[in-house]
Amino acid sequence: MPQKIYNLLFLLILLSCGDSSRESDAEETADSYFCPTPFLFNPGSKLCESDTEALGPFPGAMTSKCIELGGGESCQTARWTLSIARTARGNSGCPPGTTLHNNLCKEGPHAYGPFTPMHVSACRARGGGLTCDSMRWDFDFALQTRPPDAFTFPFGGPALASYTEPPRSFGSCRDNCTRRHAAADLYATTGTLVHAVGDGEIIDFYEFYLGTYALVIDHGDFIVRYGEVTQNLAPGIRVGVRVQRGQGIAYVGRLIGLDQDMLHFERFAGWAQGPLTVYDDSPYQRRQDLVDPTADLIAWKYPR
């Protein structure tokens, strides 16, 4: 199918989504979602089906229903008989037990399909391999398969140095490699305006490092700690306020004792609980849902 048609289908999906369901049956077609051969998407059941089976893996609530229906050991596999899969799936927008996050059906650290052709194409471009033909992806990886314009770069232009190379890159050695860098450092001059990378709610603000502060925003699908900013935030910015993608939120701060100032950009998947900094969690000394933000930073365009 031509790319323009894929783009149109993806746009229709986004416009029709509410907070808890995807497209209605009337708007879905066999081409709305990708299914690997020999499976085809069935708009009625919202499953990838062959003549006799439906393709998984399936979320926990569906697996429990499968066992209740007498599916036995097959409930732990990725292929179920059509009758059991259709009954367990029901007619909700997302599979039972999952909730919708930015057009991805999420349960814990996973996203469940079928996925749109646009998602699958981006999955393959990012080296997802056989995962791209599956009905279950790592949720944070799935977030990276969305269109780049879903979010925006945190500066109005490029950083002053590459954040993909040490010592600025995520995972760079610290303290003789006894620990790893938990962020991407975006070099900039003091006072550079920092933009919210997406819609979200400010959930914390506190003193951070070498005289700078950290602003934490829950963007719904993930959490960002915007570190090493000034104590004075952008007008109207405070804990509890909702912000929009591209909105100015803070300013790059002055690091006491260092020759270079920067935005210390940390991203968390959002599925873990507790403080973002965990000093005894080697090697990053961060909460377990810390993720590498580099691929998204490369893809995101500058705010306009």
Side-chain angles (χ1 to χ4, degrees):
M1 179 176 288
Q3 187 66 40
K4 288 184 178 179
I5 297 179
Y6 284 161
N7 292 344
L8 178 59
L9 286 171
F10 188 77
L11 178 60
L12 288 173
I13 292 168
L14 289 178
L15 292 175
S16 62
C17 285
D19 290 335
S20 60
S21 65
R22 298 196 283 186
E23 292 185 293
S24 68
D25 294 346
E27 295 170 328
E28 289 177 342
T29 71
D31 294 324
S32 294
Y33 296 94
F34 169 83
C35 296
T37 305
F39 295 87
L40 294 172
F41 178 68
N42 181 338
S45 66
K46 305 181 189 296
L47 295 167
C48 286
E49 299 183 350
S50 67
D51 291 339
T52 58
E53 296 177 314
L55 182 65
F58 301 102
M62 285 185 64
T63 300
S64 297
K65 185 66 175 179
C66 174
I67 295 172
E68 179 184 322
L69 294 169
E73 293 182 358
S74 66
C75 298
Q76 306 300 325
T77 70
R79 296 191 179 193
W80 296 359
T81 60
L82 283 179
S83 59
I84 286 181
R86 288 174 176 175
T87 301
R89 177 62 176 81
N91 59 5
S92 59
C94 279
T98 68
T99 55
L100 191 71
H101 292 267
N102 207 343
N103 204 45
L104 292 169
C105 296
K106 180 179 185 294
E107 180 190 57
H110 296 118
Y112 286 85
F115 301 96
T116 69
M118 288 282 288
H119 281 107
V120 174
S121 177
C123 175
R124 289 173 174 163
R126 289 177 175 266
L130 296 177
T131 294
C132 304
D133 289 349
S134 169
M135 298 300 106
R136 183 175 66 198
W137 299 357
D138 175 82
F139 180 71
D140 189 69
F141 176 80
L143 288 177
Q144 299 176 28
T145 66
R146 294 170 298 175
D149 60 359
F151 294 93
T152 191
F153 194 74
F155 290 163
L160 296 181
S162 172
Y163 50 84
T164 66
E165 300 175 0
R168 299 167 295 277
S169 56
F170 179 90
S172 295
C173 285
R174 294 292 187 269
D175 298 334
N176 295 319
C177 280
T178 58
R179 62 183 182 91
R180 296 285 180 174
H181 189 215
D185 282 342
L186 309 180
Y187 279 15
T189 57
T190 303
T192 297
L193 181 63
V194 178
H195 300 262
V197 299
D199 296 350
E201 181 180 350
I202 300 172
I203 59 174
D204 211 349
F205 179 65
Y206 46 86
E207 191 170 355
F208 186 56
Y209 180 64
L210 295 181
T212 64
Y213 288 74
L215 184 70
V216 182
I217 298 182
D218 184 345
H219 290 292
D221 299 316
F222 57 88
I223 293 170
V224 170
R225 173 153 61 182
Y226 301 81
E228 299 172 7
V229 301
T230 64
Q231 184 176 10
N232 296 322
L233 299 173
I237 299 301
R238 61 184 183 279
V239 173
V241 167
R242 290 200 59 82
V243 297
Q244 296 181 329
R245 180 189 64 170
Q247 181 178 345
I249 54 174
Y251 307 96
V252 172
R254 167 60 66 182
L255 289 160
I256 299 173
L258 294 184
D259 294 331
Q260 179 61 59
D261 298 320
M262 67 199 74
L263 174 67
H264 176 92
F265 188 90
E266 291 183 22
R267 179 177 163 193
F268 298 81
W271 51 263
Q273 301 293 322
L276 302 183
T277 299
V278 183
Y279 290 108
D280 59 355
D281 189 6
S282 298
Y284 290 93
Q285 299 185 350
R286 294 295 187 266
R287 206 170 69 177
Q288 290 185 348
D289 59 335
L290 175 75
V291 291
D292 185 350
T294 306
D296 276 331
L297 288 168
I298 292 171
W300 292 339
K301 299 178 181 179
Y302 306 129
R304 295 289 184 262

